[in-house]
Amino acid sequence: MWRRRNSLSHFTQLATSSSSKFNCHNNLQPTSLRLLQIPDVDQGYGLLTRSSSTAVGPSSNSGKLGISGLDRVRAFGSTADIVGATTLGAREVVDMARHYGRCYWELSKAKLSMLVVATSGAGYVLGSSSTVDLAGLCYTCVGTMMVAASANTLNQVFEVKNDALMNRTMRRPLPSGRLTIPHAVTWASSVGLAGTALLASKANLLAAGLGASNLILYAFVYTPLKQIHPVNTWVGAVVGAIPPLLGTGSSHAPASHPIFRWAAASGQVSLNGWLLPAALYFWQIPHFMALAYLCRDDYAAGGFKMFSLADPSGRRTALVALRNCIYLIPLGYLAYDWGITSGWFCLESTLLALAISGTAVSFLKNRTKASARRMFHASLLYLPVFMSGLMFHRIYDDDHQSLETENTKDHMVISHTTTAYEQDSRNPDRVKQNHSRPPVAYASVAPFPFLPAPIYSSS
């Protein structure tokens, strides 16, 4: 009895161990196989396992079934590997696109470039007549954006060592090592050439020349001057004032229009086209002075020769900012006097200039970072409000357009009368017949001595 129990217990242990081994072996099955739970594959896999541990093997049909199941598992595994590799490759492509897109965005200083595009687009709209060429506007904005991106990229290429020393610029793509300098130079060259070619082909040569000259002035004149002399601020203001001229140089306003002759078909810019560039030039000085005062420690660490570094008290910096804010006051009067805008813009522009001048006075009295930051924020608000008011309140000389229409009609009458006179001179009998009738009126208001031949009434 005892032996019987021992044999039973021994048989139970063997069964348990074999079942645990079988379960363990099942746990080692591929995950894809367990998830799919294909019946014939499980059966075949079990049959093959039992045949390897026992002498009793499955039938031929069962063996074929098991081999077919393994083939399916292997095929499914290879397909999963291919799908996984494809998914991994797609993720790598997406990650790479995001990386380079972020680097190009930072190299181009996209926010600053979009401000340049806004000023160029405003110049285009102001330089157009009552109908704006939307396609030309889009081409001009895209070309301006590309040229500005190229200039900003070259600026960072030349200042990579200086940017590495300043807290606010050390995380840029070049100082941080996220992008190489040859890569950045290639990007800047390709984008700059493409933008200039787009302006030359879709706008005109004047716009392309202004864009290329602004790129050269910013990258090869302003950028080196930042490490040489404080006059770089005023050179940078000239660079910022050119984009509105680029926009007006791209527009195709009628050459005979007296007010909006900012860019005639020949590509010439008149005196009225300098209003927005003048506003940008005077606006940039208090904007840059406030920024230079706020970041003068960083500029000193980077080796830049800013005006605020030679002015420890900040008084001269505040005076320069206030003087240029005062220069902004008469711009509204000039826009109204030249017939560009209505009187409402004159009032709004004056109030806006007085507001930014008030922040400059506050900075002069209390030269702290808080007052400098207040003037900086006021300068950020001034420019979009000024350009919006300039475009909203601009006027069109409808009377002049109607006068042009009348002059065109008079010219047509003059031509008709002259043709009739030539026909009469060729036919003397008709001339005698016409002279027998009294004159009715003259056909034109053209000044003497260009009066046309009189028109006689018919009998």
Side-chain angles (χ1 to χ4, degrees):
M1 188 71 180
W2 178 76
R3 290 180 180 178
R4 194 175 187 179
R5 288 181 180 177
N6 286 341
S7 61
L8 287 175
S9 61
H10 182 67
F11 177 77
T12 304
Q13 289 177 1
L14 288 176
T16 305
S17 61
S18 61
S19 63
S20 62
K21 289 181 181 180
F22 181 76
N23 292 333
C24 180
H25 194 70
N26 281 339
N27 290 333
L28 293 178
Q29 291 179 358
T31 305
S32 58
L33 181 62
R34 293 200 307 270
L35 291 177
L36 288 177
Q37 296 180 354
I38 304 174
D40 57 348
V41 174
D42 289 337
Q43 183 180 359
Y45 197 82
L47 290 172
L48 288 175
T49 306
R50 288 194 297 272
S51 64
S52 62
S53 58
T54 60
V56 181
S59 62
S60 61
N61 294 332
S62 300
K64 291 180 181 179
L65 182 62
I67 294 173
S68 176
L70 283 179
D71 292 338
R72 293 185 187 184
V73 171
R74 290 170 182 172
F76 183 80
S78 61
T79 305
D81 292 339
I82 294 174
V83 173
T86 305
T87 305
L88 183 60
R91 288 180 180 177
E92 289 179 352
V93 171
V94 171
D95 292 340
M96 186 178 299
R98 288 179 179 177
H99 169 74
Y100 284 111
R102 191 180 300 111
C103 290
Y104 293 152
W105 177 274
E106 296 178 14
L107 281 177
S108 304
K109 298 180 183 178
K111 294 181 180 179
L112 178 61
S113 297
M114 285 189 286
L115 178 61
V116 174
V117 170
T119 59
S120 178
Y124 189 97
V125 173
L126 291 172
S128 302
S129 58
S130 57
T131 303
V132 180
D133 183 10
L134 295 180
L137 176 62
C138 293
Y139 285 131
T140 301
C141 290
V142 172
T144 304
M145 183 72 181
M146 297 172 74
V147 173
S150 175
N152 289 323
T153 302
L154 291 176
N155 173 266
Q156 295 186 49
V157 168
F158 295 147
E159 295 180 351
V160 58
K161 294 182 180 179
N162 305 87
D163 289 343
L165 301 175
M166 297 191 296
N167 292 327
R168 69 185 188 92
T169 57
M170 63 173 54
R171 288 177 292 275
R172 287 177 175 176
L174 295 181
S176 61
R178 287 183 288 149
L179 209 65
T180 61
I181 292 179
H183 191 139
V185 172
T186 304
W187 158 257
S189 303
S190 57
V191 172
L193 291 175
T196 305
L198 182 64
L199 291 174
S201 59
K202 298 299 182 179
N204 51 48
L205 293 179
L206 175 61
L210 287 172
S213 62
N214 208 28
L215 188 154
I216 294 172
L217 187 62
Y218 183 81
F220 299 99
V221 178
Y222 166 71
T223 300
L225 273 178
K226 290 172 68 177
Q227 305 178 45
I228 298 173
H229 197 274
V231 76
N232 65 81
T233 301
W234 284 264
V235 176
V238 173
V239 173
I242 290 179
L245 290 178
L246 192 151
T248 57
S250 304
S251 62
H252 299 279
S256 58
H257 202 286
I259 293 177
F260 297 105
R261 192 165 52 241
W262 291 33
S266 59
Q268 296 178 355
V269 180
S270 68
L271 181 62
N272 293 343
W274 290 94
L275 182 68
L276 186 55
L280 277 169
Y281 178 84
F282 295 134
W283 163 81
Q284 286 178 91
I285 303 301
H287 176 79
F288 286 156
M289 291 299 167
L291 183 63
Y293 188 85
L294 290 171
C295 304
R296 56 182 178 177
D297 293 336
D298 256 2
Y299 283 128
F304 295 115
K305 306 294 183 182
M306 292 300 174
F307 186 81
S308 60
L309 297 181
D311 181 30
S313 64
R315 178 177 175 81
R316 294 173 58 193
T317 304
L319 285 173
V320 170
L322 177 60
R323 182 172 67 247
N324 284 269
C325 288
I326 294 174
Y327 292 158
L328 293 171
I329 296 176
L331 294 180
Y333 292 95
L334 292 176
Y336 173 69
D337 184 65
W338 293 348
I340 301 174
T341 61
S342 63
W344 287 107
F345 176 75
C346 176
L347 177 61
E348 294 174 3
S349 175
T350 303
L351 294 176
L352 193 62
L354 289 175
I356 191 174
S357 299
T359 59
V361 170
S362 175
F363 176 53
L364 178 61
K365 291 183 176 179
N366 187 17
R367 294 180 295 276
T368 61
K369 287 190 175 182
S371 58
R373 189 175 293 107
R374 194 179 302 113
M375 184 174 68
F376 180 76
H377 290 160
S379 67
L380 292 178
L381 182 64
Y382 174 87
L383 187 61
V385 175
F386 180 87
M387 290 194 301
S388 300
L390 190 61
M391 290 186 290
F392 182 77
H393 293 291
R394 70 179 183 133
I395 60 175
Y396 303 97
D397 195 357
D398 296 333
D399 295 336
H400 183 273
Q401 292 179 355
S402 61
L403 181 60
E404 285 182 347
T405 305
E406 292 178 0
N407 290 337
T408 303
K409 291 180 180 179
D410 294 339
H411 179 71
M412 293 174 63
V413 173
I414 293 171
S415 301
H416 175 74
T417 307
T418 305
T419 304
Y421 176 74
E422 291 176 354
Q423 292 177 357
D424 292 340
S425 63
R426 295 174 185 174
N427 191 353
D429 297 334
R430 185 178 179 182
V431 172
K432 292 178 181 179
Q433 183 180 2
N434 287 339
H435 276 289
S436 64
R437 295 191 296 268
V440 176
Y442 289 103
S444 176
V445 294
F448 181 83
F450 302 104
L451 289 175
I455 298 178
Y456 293 91
S457 61
S458 59
S459 56

